[in-house]
Amino acid sequence: MTTRSNFGSKLGAVLAAAGSAVGLGNVWRFPTEVGNNGGAAFILIYLICVLLIGVPVMISEFLIGRHTHANTITAYERLAPKSWWRIEGVAGVFVAFLILSYYVIISGWTLYYLVQSCIGTLSVAQDFKAGFSAFIAHPWWPVVYGCIFMGLTHLVVARGVQSGIERFSKVMMPLLLVIIVVLVVCSFNMPGAHDGLRFLLKPDFSKVTTRVMLSAMGQAFFSLSLAMGCLCTYASYFSSDTRLVRTAVNVSLIDTLVAIMSGFIIFPAVFSVAGVQVDEGPGLVFITLPHVFQMAFHSVPFLGYAFSVLFYLLLLLAALTSAMSLHESVTAYVLEVANISRRRASIIVSVACMLLGVACSLSFGPWSGFKVFGMNIFELFDFAASKVIMLLSGIVICLFVGWKLDRQLVYDEVTNGGTLRFRLFRLYIFLIRYVVPIVIGVIFVNELRQ
Ligand code: PHE
């Protein structure tokens, strides 16, 4: 087998992992969930989930990846040869593949909206809801945009870990943060912005149900890229002196900040236009926001234009760095197990995934009548991946590290062979042994019963 690559620097490693975490989940899914689940109370539960569940699971994934320096499936095989734990690795790679297939389609929508805002179509008053529905139901336009997006992702992954993923993340992540700050400032200056802020900051606990908790937990997993082999794969390229705990904390912090700032961009803007709903669901950034941009165009044309272009650019860049990690999770496996070149492995993954992506896209249009358990293909994939398999995988990762792995191995890995201090090691072990599996399990079972 060829020698394995590594990230060239610690900063590169953090930015790549943060790039994986920051994605559509932050800018599109988080505000949608906040809008649907009653604002600030949801955010509070979300923060608790990130701290008590997200960070420990991330540390666990990091240590599995870095210890084995292998793709996710091989990693579990090495740590627990000839055992059922292997399934956890398989589940990770499989879910990454599944998510990538619909992730590219939504990212393709983003690309379409970026193009539309650049050529100024969004500045014309129109029925944005009808426009959006017509676009996503079209038999091939969304597929074309999805293919272009997949092509971009492919180009980066095929170049390799250092000259592709790392280099790209090092440029894109700072750019993305700059765009976010600019947009927050713009949004705060819109009339009526304080109503949006009140919605984001004033918790209403009467809205909290187990469904809301499940959503918050699912969102934390999705947003932090947990349980999909992505972080485990990236950690397999970490060098021996990368500090795992610190990296996990930094990545979670960046991810959470971006999610909340996205809320700060979207809600003040949305509340500034009378009659626009915050609980528009997935249409929030594709229906509600264009409406807001259009109104802004009306009063200050240049600002409205710049705002919309920058916003969809932000969404696209965020999606790209995440798609890269999903792609890499599968590519690393194909490459190492089939022992073929990275170029070939990435082509296989891109093509196979795109085929599935076409099915997802068609499920909004010609195939919308095809339903399983009342869900179309897209909804089914999303439900299976980000509500079921991902959370179950999260439980298994914790059980694996908490109960199966040798405690000394775990300690050595998180402290880089005893050279770092990790004062909360006991708390960490307690969390992954008991708290995380039980909390996820209880909420999950409760939801299934309903
Ligand atoms: N975390 C990404 C987001 O927020 C999505 C993702 C999930 C990426 C799982 C990789 C793995 O959009």
Side-chain angles (χ1 to χ4, degrees), residues 20-26 99 103 222-225 228 230 322 325-326:
S20 169
V22 173
L24 295 175
N26 305 60
I99 294 196
Y103 206 83
F222 187 86
S223 187
L224 295 172
S225 301
M228 245 154 300
C230 294
S322 296
S325 72
L326 289 161

Side-chain angles (χ1 to χ4, degrees), residues 51-80:
L51 203 67
L52 290 186
I53 301 181
V55 175
V57 176
M58 195 182 292
I59 295 174
S60 309
E61 279 205 61
F62 278 169
L63 77 88
I64 294 172
R66 213 254 312 256
H67 185 79
T68 52
H69 289 296
N71 68 78
T72 312
I73 298 183
T74 310
Y76 282 89
E77 281 170 353
R78 285 202 191 143
L79 286 169

Side-chain angles (χ1 to χ4, degrees), residues 20-243:
S20 169
V22 173
L24 295 175
N26 305 60
V27 191
W28 170 64
R29 210 167 181 270
F30 181 78
T32 306
E33 296 274 322
V34 172
N36 286 341
N37 293 310
F42 176 85
I43 299 183
L44 218 61
I45 298 176
Y46 177 79
L47 292 180
I48 296 173
C49 288
V50 169
L51 203 67
L52 290 186
I53 301 181
V55 175
V57 176
M58 195 182 292
I59 295 174
S60 309
E61 279 205 61
F62 278 169
L63 77 88
I64 294 172
R66 213 254 312 256
H67 185 79
T68 52
H69 289 296
N71 68 78
T72 312
I73 298 183
T74 310
Y76 282 89
E77 281 170 353
R78 285 202 191 143
L79 286 169
K82 300 206 173 57
S83 71
W84 287 99
W85 293 106
R86 175 177 198 278
I87 294 178
E88 172 56 29
V90 177
V93 173
F94 173 72
V95 180
F97 184 74
L98 209 61
I99 294 196
L100 184 59
S101 72
Y102 69 80
Y103 206 83
V104 289
I105 297 300
I106 304 177
S107 306
W109 300 352
T110 306
L111 183 58
Y112 170 79
Y113 272 78
L114 176 61
V115 173
Q116 295 303 308
S117 41
C118 285
I119 59 180
T121 321
L122 292 191
S123 57
V124 184
Q126 56 190 286
D127 183 348
F128 287 107
K129 193 165 189 164
F132 175 66
S133 311
F135 172 69
I136 65 172
H138 195 277
W140 46 270
W141 271 120
V143 175
V144 170
Y145 279 97
C147 283
I148 299 176
F149 181 84
M150 180 59 109
L152 295 175
T153 311
H154 175 92
L155 284 180
V156 180
V157 173
R159 290 184 69 111
V161 176
Q162 256 188 45
S163 43
I165 296 172
E166 181 174 359
R167 208 205 269 158
F168 192 81
S169 308
K170 271 179 156 168
V171 179
M172 290 309 146
M173 291 309 289
L175 179 62
L176 198 139
L177 294 178
V178 172
I179 298 181
I180 291 186
V181 173
V182 173
L183 288 177
V184 171
V185 173
C186 283
S187 195
F188 273 22
N189 283 314
M190 291 202 163
H194 53 268
D195 288 333
L197 290 180
R198 188 168 323 126
F199 177 73
L200 270 176
L201 299 175
K202 210 166 143 236
D204 172 6
F205 289 103
S206 66
K207 297 249 168 62
V208 178
T209 57
T210 52
R211 169 138 315 161
V212 172
M213 289 186 197
L214 183 73
S215 296
M217 207 167 56
Q219 174 59 22
F221 265 72
F222 187 86
S223 187
L224 295 172
S225 301
L226 298 177
M228 245 154 300
C230 294
L231 295 181
C232 189
T233 307
Y234 273 9
S236 73
Y237 307 128
F238 285 0
S239 58
S240 54
D241 59 349
T242 300
R243 299 166 170 235

Side-chain angles (χ1 to χ4, degrees), residues 293-305:
F293 296 145
Q294 200 268 324
M295 300 302 278
F297 278 125
H298 211 64
S299 37
V300 198
F302 174 72
L303 214 68
Y305 181 81

